Amino acid sequence: MTKYLISFPGRGQAMNLTDEEFPIVVEESHAVIEEAKAAGVYVFGGGIAEDVDPVLVQADGAVGTDTYPGVDITGGFTVLELPTRKDAEEWARKIAAACRCPQELREFMYDPAS
């Protein structure tokens, strides 16, 4: 089976919700995650803590406040393990409907060591 990353950028970038809509979206998106868990396809998921600054760790162990240019990772992520790309597209559709925003779908390369 293949692992897929389903994601969207942070609130205000893709997810444009009112304060009243947000708790509904949280409830509905959690329901999709529970469905994925019940189906046995859920690997992990969550949102990036946008109030914690990222750091760049060098091979020598040095830690700096720089990050890769042009990379701004925010938002929510879900990793599912599924038999087909079509299945991944269907789960991405369910998440998009619950979150009220499009989801980006990426496939992890197979690595026998992971």
Side-chain angles (χ1 to χ4, degrees):
M1 291 229 282
T2 303
K3 291 179 180 70
Y4 294 90
L5 173 66
I6 300 169
S7 64
F8 63 95
R11 193 172 180 189
Q13 294 179 41
M15 191 183 264
N16 297 306
L17 305 171
T18 65
D19 290 339
E20 293 78 26
E21 292 172 311
F22 192 72
I24 297 165
V25 167
V26 169
E27 182 179 329
E28 290 180 13
S29 63
H30 286 174
V32 174
I33 296 305
E34 290 304 316
E35 182 183 351
K37 288 178 180 179
V41 299
Y42 183 81
V43 177
F44 72 90
I48 298 296
E50 295 180 26
D51 59 336
V52 179
D53 291 332
V55 296
L56 192 63
V57 181
Q58 303 294 332
D60 65 2
V63 178
T65 57
D66 294 337
T67 57
Y68 286 111
V71 177
D72 183 24
I73 299 174
T74 62
F77 300 85
T78 304
V79 176
L80 303 179
E81 191 166 35
L82 300 159
T84 69
R85 176 96 179 181
K86 184 176 179 182
D87 291 327
E89 291 171 358
E90 178 57 21
W91 281 102
R93 184 202 61 76
K94 290 179 184 186
I95 294 170
C99 290
R100 315 291 199 280
C101 66
Q103 301 293 303
E104 187 173 273
L105 177 64
R106 295 180 183 262
E107 185 173 316
F108 283 91
M109 295 184 310
Y110 176 71
D111 180 350
S114 66

